[in-house]
Amino acid sequence: MHIPENYLSPETCGVLDIAMVPIWAVALKKVGSEVPREKMPLLGVAASFCFLAMMFNIPLPGGTTGHAVCGTLIAILFGPWSAVLAVSIALIIQAVFFGDGGILAIGANCFNMAFVLPMVGFSIYSLISSRKEGLAGELLGAAVGSYIALNCAAICAAVEFGIQPSLFTDAAGNALYCPYPLWVSLPAMLIGHLTVAGLAEVAFTVGILAFVRKVAPEFGAQKAMGGASAGMKAFAPVFVLVAVLVVATPLGLLAEGDAWGEWATEDLAEMVGYTPVGLGEGWEWSAFMPDYALGGLPEWVGYILSAVIGVALLVIIFRVAAAAMKPSADFDR
């Protein structure tokens, strides 16, 4: 679901970049008031679940691949606005350091996966969990919410892809950017996400949430935490789970093929019979570890190294954010 560079017009990217600015501004304000300073590093750990889940590529119908996002999971644990910020930072790290998603398309990818997804998922989760008490109601709400939310994000991406050939063409009538219209992009995206990718999102969200609620029920902004040192020890099982997922990320290499709409320019040219000018001559970013690979290292080593770097950056960013915040006056939230 990561929209690559030059698949969307600069105009489309600009509109969505601008749309995300006030959203990020609200998210920053909400997180500052809703997440205690002492819990901010844990938000970085939660963001790691998102980063790692997106590395586990799975095969989808039609020969493409997809992945979970875990935006609803973060929204449940820390609130939807915290999820907006956490998923956005994870997506930016993926684009800048690993070339997963376009730099110009950051606004589009964040709108789909960091705004629409957690907001929809949390709303449905809240509706269901408020009517069915206990952990069962919470997990049911998480399952339904995460499934619908992922598909809403997929619809947004499909629309963004699908409007390109209607709005931007050359003198010969060929698409300048994504060449597939809505009647192709919508079913192509939804078939994979309504089936396998949606189930993967449910599995990640419900599985991690059930684990966290059992072994570390205070993990999240809504729970009270005792002393800082005691609290960190209490979250050790969550840290172990992150480490296990890091080591397991090479499983994402087993899925063959590209995600829909994430083909290399030469591969797309073979599929449609021409190279869209905007794709062939567009701006490209040189990522530090493109496709989570580094030099001549084996792919699985590059994947694990990328996972370690991504998790470390997320934890550091949110620790720095915590250091910049005022100490919480009321630690019992």
Side-chain angles (χ1 to χ4, degrees), residues 34 78 169 242 256 322:
E34 294 177 358
F78 287 89
T169 58
V242 170
E256 297 181 355

mmCIF file with all atom_site columns, all heavy atoms in Angstrom, residues 34 78 169 242 256 322:
data_model
loop_
_atom_site.group_PDB
_atom_site.id
_atom_site.type_symbol
_atom_site.label_atom_id
_atom_site.label_alt_id
_atom_site.label_comp_id
_atom_site.label_asym_id
_atom_site.label_entity_id
_atom_site.label_seq_id
_atom_site.pdbx_PDB_ins_code
_atom_site.Cartn_x
_atom_site.Cartn_y
_atom_site.Cartn_z
_atom_site.occupancy
_atom_site.B_iso_or_equiv
_atom_site.pdbx_formal_charge
_atom_site.auth_seq_id
_atom_site.auth_comp_id
_atom_site.auth_asym_id
_atom_site.auth_atom_id
_atom_site.pdbx_PDB_model_num
ATOM 1  N N   . GLU A 1 34  ? -2.261 14.195  25.938  1.00 0.00 ? 34  GLU A N   1
ATOM 2  C CA  . GLU A 1 34  ? -2.903 12.928  26.281  1.00 0.00 ? 34  GLU A CA  1
ATOM 3  C C   . GLU A 1 34  ? -1.931 11.829  26.700  1.00 0.00 ? 34  GLU A C   1
ATOM 4  O O   . GLU A 1 34  ? -2.318 10.894  27.397  1.00 0.00 ? 34  GLU A O   1
ATOM 5  C CB  . GLU A 1 34  ? -3.737 12.430  25.094  1.00 0.00 ? 34  GLU A CB  1
ATOM 6  C CG  . GLU A 1 34  ? -4.925 13.330  24.763  1.00 0.00 ? 34  GLU A CG  1
ATOM 7  C CD  . GLU A 1 34  ? -5.691 12.874  23.538  1.00 0.00 ? 34  GLU A CD  1
ATOM 8  O OE1 . GLU A 1 34  ? -5.263 11.867  22.921  1.00 0.00 ? 34  GLU A OE1 1
ATOM 9  O OE2 . GLU A 1 34  ? -6.712 13.496  23.204  1.00 0.00 ? 34  GLU A OE2 1
ATOM 10 N N   . PHE A 1 78  ? -2.871 3.797   22.564  1.00 0.00 ? 78  PHE A N   1
ATOM 11 C CA  . PHE A 1 78  ? -2.450 5.149   22.920  1.00 0.00 ? 78  PHE A CA  1
ATOM 12 C C   . PHE A 1 78  ? -3.398 6.247   22.447  1.00 0.00 ? 78  PHE A C   1
ATOM 13 O O   . PHE A 1 78  ? -3.164 7.417   22.729  1.00 0.00 ? 78  PHE A O   1
ATOM 14 C CB  . PHE A 1 78  ? -1.052 5.428   22.361  1.00 0.00 ? 78  PHE A CB  1
ATOM 15 C CG  . PHE A 1 78  ? 0.040  4.718   23.099  1.00 0.00 ? 78  PHE A CG  1
ATOM 16 C CD1 . PHE A 1 78  ? 0.441  3.444   22.724  1.00 0.00 ? 78  PHE A CD1 1
ATOM 17 C CD2 . PHE A 1 78  ? 0.666  5.306   24.187  1.00 0.00 ? 78  PHE A CD2 1
ATOM 18 C CE1 . PHE A 1 78  ? 1.436  2.772   23.410  1.00 0.00 ? 78  PHE A CE1 1
ATOM 19 C CE2 . PHE A 1 78  ? 1.667  4.650   24.880  1.00 0.00 ? 78  PHE A CE2 1
ATOM 20 C CZ  . PHE A 1 78  ? 2.050  3.374   24.491  1.00 0.00 ? 78  PHE A CZ  1
ATOM 21 N N   . THR A 1 169 ? -2.373 13.265  -18.684 1.00 0.00 ? 169 THR A N   1
ATOM 22 C CA  . THR A 1 169 ? -1.976 12.494  -19.863 1.00 0.00 ? 169 THR A CA  1
ATOM 23 C C   . THR A 1 169 ? -1.090 13.356  -20.758 1.00 0.00 ? 169 THR A C   1
ATOM 24 O O   . THR A 1 169 ? -1.067 14.586  -20.651 1.00 0.00 ? 169 THR A O   1
ATOM 25 C CB  . THR A 1 169 ? -3.197 12.041  -20.673 1.00 0.00 ? 169 THR A CB  1
ATOM 26 O OG1 . THR A 1 169 ? -3.967 13.205  -21.066 1.00 0.00 ? 169 THR A OG1 1
ATOM 27 C CG2 . THR A 1 169 ? -4.093 11.113  -19.854 1.00 0.00 ? 169 THR A CG2 1
ATOM 28 N N   . VAL A 1 242 ? 8.969  -7.504  20.510  1.00 0.00 ? 242 VAL A N   1
ATOM 29 C CA  . VAL A 1 242 ? 9.553  -6.674  19.448  1.00 0.00 ? 242 VAL A CA  1
ATOM 30 C C   . VAL A 1 242 ? 10.818 -7.346  18.912  1.00 0.00 ? 242 VAL A C   1
ATOM 31 O O   . VAL A 1 242 ? 11.032 -7.420  17.689  1.00 0.00 ? 242 VAL A O   1
ATOM 32 C CB  . VAL A 1 242 ? 9.875  -5.262  19.971  1.00 0.00 ? 242 VAL A CB  1
ATOM 33 C CG1 . VAL A 1 242 ? 10.702 -4.479  18.935  1.00 0.00 ? 242 VAL A CG1 1
ATOM 34 C CG2 . VAL A 1 242 ? 8.590  -4.507  20.290  1.00 0.00 ? 242 VAL A CG2 1
ATOM 35 N N   . GLU A 1 256 ? 6.768  -13.665 -2.999  1.00 0.00 ? 256 GLU A N   1
ATOM 36 C CA  . GLU A 1 256 ? 7.322  -13.242 -4.281  1.00 0.00 ? 256 GLU A CA  1
ATOM 37 C C   . GLU A 1 256 ? 6.413  -12.216 -4.947  1.00 0.00 ? 256 GLU A C   1
ATOM 38 O O   . GLU A 1 256 ? 5.208  -12.216 -4.754  1.00 0.00 ? 256 GLU A O   1
ATOM 39 C CB  . GLU A 1 256 ? 7.504  -14.448 -5.206  1.00 0.00 ? 256 GLU A CB  1
ATOM 40 C CG  . GLU A 1 256 ? 8.496  -15.479 -4.669  1.00 0.00 ? 256 GLU A CG  1
ATOM 41 C CD  . GLU A 1 256 ? 8.679  -16.639 -5.623  1.00 0.00 ? 256 GLU A CD  1
ATOM 42 O OE1 . GLU A 1 256 ? 7.969  -16.678 -6.658  1.00 0.00 ? 256 GLU A OE1 1
ATOM 43 O OE2 . GLU A 1 256 ? 9.515  -17.502 -5.344  1.00 0.00 ? 256 GLU A OE2 1
ATOM 44 N N   . ALA A 1 322 ? 10.063 12.773  24.581  1.00 0.00 ? 322 ALA A N   1
ATOM 45 C CA  . ALA A 1 322 ? 9.749  12.731  26.014  1.00 0.00 ? 322 ALA A CA  1
ATOM 46 C C   . ALA A 1 322 ? 10.641 13.690  26.791  1.00 0.00 ? 322 ALA A C   1
ATOM 47 O O   . ALA A 1 322 ? 10.186 14.384  27.707  1.00 0.00 ? 322 ALA A O   1
ATOM 48 C CB  . ALA A 1 322 ? 9.919  11.315  26.541  1.00 0.00 ? 322 ALA A CB  1
#
